[in-house]
Amino acid sequence: MTLKIALTKGRTEKQVLPLLAQAGMDVEPIRNKGRRLIFNDDPKYHTILAKGPDVLTYLNRGAMDIGIVGSDILDEQRNPQYDMLDLRTGRCRFVLASTANFDPGQTRRKIIATKYPNITQDYFATIGEDVEIIKIEGSVELAPLVGLADAIVDIVETGTTLRENHLQVFAELRPVSTHLVVNRLALKQKQVEIQTLIQNLQKAIQED
Ligand code: PRP
């Protein structure tokens, strides 16, 4: 049976394609894709390229069997599908960051800007703090610089964005990496194909 795979396009796609190739998939059509978003040439694997949060929508609605997506999105959306494998690529981390004069012990209720309100809420709940959260769509680092928020919760990979905007880390929240998730029904119906792909990917990860 054909496995339908939703792959997060962009950075995740580039990091995961070598692993998928090692696991036996012909990834050349994706490498040379131009503006194409769907790849049905291989009878074993049909692949689509989608934005991370949309990968889970396709999976949750049963339009796709397998999703390859960052754990940041899985955690933020509290994904109910099966998280089967950590692909150990796309590694980065969530941090609380701000300007040097930020006081984590300030008594006034903090305002936190983030693309990830649920992860932010969870973090402050675990340390017993009630904060106001402002949802931002990108370039979150701007928020403390212009007085929109006291601090941000965001992803750090190399640390360059924080450094170049004179922000520093005040707390480490949780790690992030790319995961393979499976639709519950697909796992029953295509068990052999899914397990084979996972085993091949596990081998590819170990060889890396
Ligand atoms: C992400 C993240 C940081 C940056 C961190 O943003 O939100 O801004 O990467 O990477 P670094 O530590 O290597 O500098 P992204 O590039 O996805 O764009 P965005 O700001 O539009 O979300």
Side-chain angles (χ1 to χ4, degrees):
M1 273 190 278
T2 304
L3 280 184
K4 294 182 281 183
I5 302 175
L7 174 59
T8 304
K9 67 176 176 182
R11 232 179 299 186
T12 304
E13 168 197 341
K14 287 195 185 68
Q15 290 164 340
V16 168
L17 280 188
L19 283 181
L20 290 172
Q22 272 175 274
M25 194 188 292
D26 176 15
V27 300
E28 283 315 304
I30 303 179
R31 283 210 171 105
N32 305 312
K33 62 181 184 290
R35 300 293 293 172
R36 274 175 76 199
L37 298 170
I38 184 159
F39 305 87
N40 291 344
D41 325 78
D42 187 338
K44 274 174 82 179
Y45 305 107
H46 287 181
T47 307
I48 66 165
L49 295 174
K51 288 237 179 201
D54 297 337
V55 164
L56 293 183
T57 305
Y58 286 105
L59 204 67
N60 292 339
R61 305 285 300 200
M64 289 283 132
D65 304 320
I66 287 177
I68 295 177
V69 64
S71 61
D72 54 330
I73 290 161
L74 295 176
D75 291 349
E76 180 62 22
Q77 293 202 2
R78 297 172 172 146
N79 177 60
Q81 305 298 334
Y82 287 120
D83 184 356
M84 302 286 286
L85 185 63
D86 181 351
L87 294 169
R88 303 203 204 150
T89 58
R91 279 182 165 164
C92 45
R93 59 203 217 274
F94 271 106
V95 301
L96 174 70
S98 190
T99 46
N101 63 356
F102 170 63
D103 173 14
Q106 73 179 49
T107 45
R108 184 174 54 77
R109 188 176 178 231
K110 292 187 188 95
I111 301 171
I112 309 293
T114 187
K115 268 195 285 191
Y116 301 88
N118 288 332
I119 287 170
T120 303
Q121 185 72 53
D122 289 351
Y123 167 69
F124 282 100
T126 59
I127 62 167
E129 240 192 281
D130 173 46
V131 296
E132 182 184 343
I133 295 171
I134 299 178
K135 171 93 193 296
I136 293 284
E137 295 302 328
S139 303
V140 182
E141 291 83 359
L142 283 171
L145 297 175
V146 300
L148 178 69
D150 296 307
I152 60 171
V153 165
D154 200 19
I155 288 173
V156 170
E157 191 180 358
T158 61
T160 310
T161 313
L162 287 185
R163 211 167 33 248
E164 291 193 359
N165 291 290
H166 311 291
L167 297 174
Q168 60 191 53
V169 173
F170 285 86
E172 299 278 344
L173 274 54
R174 62 172 93 182
V176 177
S177 60
T178 304
H179 284 232
L180 183 146
V181 286
V182 180
N183 173 278
R184 283 168 189 272
L185 190 62
L187 190 57
K188 289 201 189 108
Q189 292 173 339
K190 303 182 181 179
Q191 204 175 3
V192 176
E193 292 87 343
I194 290 171
Q195 290 301 350
T196 305
L197 176 64
I198 288 173
Q199 280 163 13
N200 290 341
L201 282 169
Q202 276 170 329
K203 264 190 235 148
I205 294 165
Q206 279 158 14
E207 282 162 16
D208 246 26

